[in-house]
Amino acid sequence: MRRSLLFGSFIAFLIAISPYLFYLYENFPESKTWETSLFTLEVTNYPDVYSAAWYFVSKFIPLYLLLLWFFTCRHWWYHIILIPIAMYAFQLFHVINDDVEYIDETEIYYLIPIMFVIIPIVYIIRVKLFDKLVHGIDMKKLDQELEELDMEEEHFSK
């Protein structure tokens, strides 16, 4: 019980600080180069460091919240959250990648194969749950009956 309360409090804290994390971009300078004692950051594809930081947090924070949701969700459909997670991950990659000229234009094409895998999996889970909960069909018993029928067919065909 105590462990669950601590874990829940930690997740609530991570969600609560998300607006503060989002507005961290306001601390970045409005110049092409940001020099600190630890590093120097120079942006090439953005007007200034401030804009680059805004693009980064506008993709990172939704990804961060979706990942929290995915890892803490207890619903049967939680795998479908992987689709927006993948979308924001591709967008974040394009924000970070210096070679990309346009942002938020081609990510949907990368999502299509992911959607072709995740959507049928979620649908199969839904069908199995629906059959079990609504129709009272036990898939194990059904599989066992099908195996018995196959064995009978093999026996009669010999």
Side-chain angles (χ1 to χ4, degrees), residues 3 8 15 25-26 35 44 47-48 62 65 70 72 74 76 91 94 102 113 121-122 131-132 134 137 150 153:
R3 185 176 178 186
I15 293 169
Y25 76 90
E26 291 184 349
E35 294 184 30
T44 56
D48 50 33
L65 292 171
F70 178 77
T72 59
R74 294 184 182 177
W76 64 266
Q91 289 177 349
H94 282 117
Y102 300 105
I121 289 171
V122 170
D131 286 345
K132 186 174 184 177
V134 175
I137 300 171
D150 285 342
E153 284 181 14

Side-chain angles (χ1 to χ4, degrees), residues 124-138:
I124 290 169
I125 293 170
R126 183 212 166 274
V127 166
K128 286 187 176 192
L129 283 172
F130 189 82
D131 286 345
K132 186 174 184 177
L133 297 175
V134 175
H135 297 297
I137 300 171
D138 188 3

Side-chain angles (χ1 to χ4, degrees), residues 4-131:
S4 175
L5 183 62
L6 285 173
F7 180 72
S9 298
F10 179 69
I11 296 300
F13 172 76
L14 291 176
I15 293 169
I17 64 168
S18 63
Y20 298 105
L21 294 175
F22 179 82
Y23 284 105
L24 283 176
Y25 76 90
E26 291 184 349
N27 295 320
F28 288 82
E30 293 186 26
S31 63
K32 285 285 227 186
T33 305
W34 182 33
E35 294 184 30
T36 68
S37 60
L38 301 173
F39 61 88
T40 300
L41 177 66
E42 185 173 348
V43 293
T44 56
N45 289 351
Y46 299 97
D48 50 33
V49 175
Y50 180 85
S51 299
W54 181 83
Y55 277 109
F56 178 82
V57 296
S58 69
K59 304 304 178 194
F60 176 76
I61 296 301
L63 177 62
Y64 162 78
L65 292 171
L66 284 166
L67 285 169
L68 282 174
W69 186 19
F70 178 77
F71 288 117
T72 59
C73 186
R74 294 184 182 177
H75 296 286
W76 64 266
W77 49 263
Y78 76 99
H79 289 93
I80 209 75
I81 301 171
L82 289 171
I83 294 172
I85 285 173
M87 180 187 69
Y88 277 106
F90 285 128
Q91 289 177 349
L92 184 62
F93 173 75
H94 282 117
V95 166
I96 294 170
N97 190 356
D98 287 341
D99 297 335
V100 176
E101 189 173 330
Y102 300 105
I103 299 172
D104 294 345
E105 290 189 4
T106 60
E107 287 82 7
I108 189 69
Y109 301 118
Y110 299 121
L111 282 179
I112 291 171
I114 293 170
M115 292 168 64
F116 277 140
V117 172
I118 293 174
I119 291 173
I121 289 171
V122 170
Y123 185 74
I124 290 169
I125 293 170
R126 183 212 166 274
V127 166
K128 286 187 176 192
L129 283 172
F130 189 82
D131 286 345

